[in-house]
Amino acid sequence: MSCFRHLCEEADIRCGVDEVSVHNLLPNYNTFMEFASVSNMMSTGRAALQKRVMALLRRIEHPTAGNTEAWEDTHA
């Protein structure tokens, strides 16, 4: 989950320098930010975490090979 936070931080830095919208560089930015915040849910239990991750994966608007693989692994 922390990887998503780092990815979003890098996108923020890059877009700040290039003056480009973060959504142009990282189309799923909002969903990735929510993934980063899910790491705080660890104390609520595994089932709640899995449900939240599944809900976030469903919200991906621009699927990538990595998103699709994560969806299939989580679904399995």
Side-chain angles (χ1 to χ4, degrees), residues 35-75:
F35 267 114
S37 68
V38 166
S39 62
N40 299 334
M41 284 185 65
M42 292 292 202
S43 63
T44 61
R46 184 175 179 205
L49 179 62
Q50 286 177 333
K51 284 182 181 182
R52 185 66 184 140
V53 168
M54 290 288 281
L56 287 171
L57 286 173
R58 284 187 199 105
R59 287 186 38 205
I60 296 288
E61 295 176 12
H62 304 280
T64 64
N67 298 140
T68 305
E69 185 176 343
W71 170 256
E72 290 171 357
D73 286 349
T74 304
H75 182 67

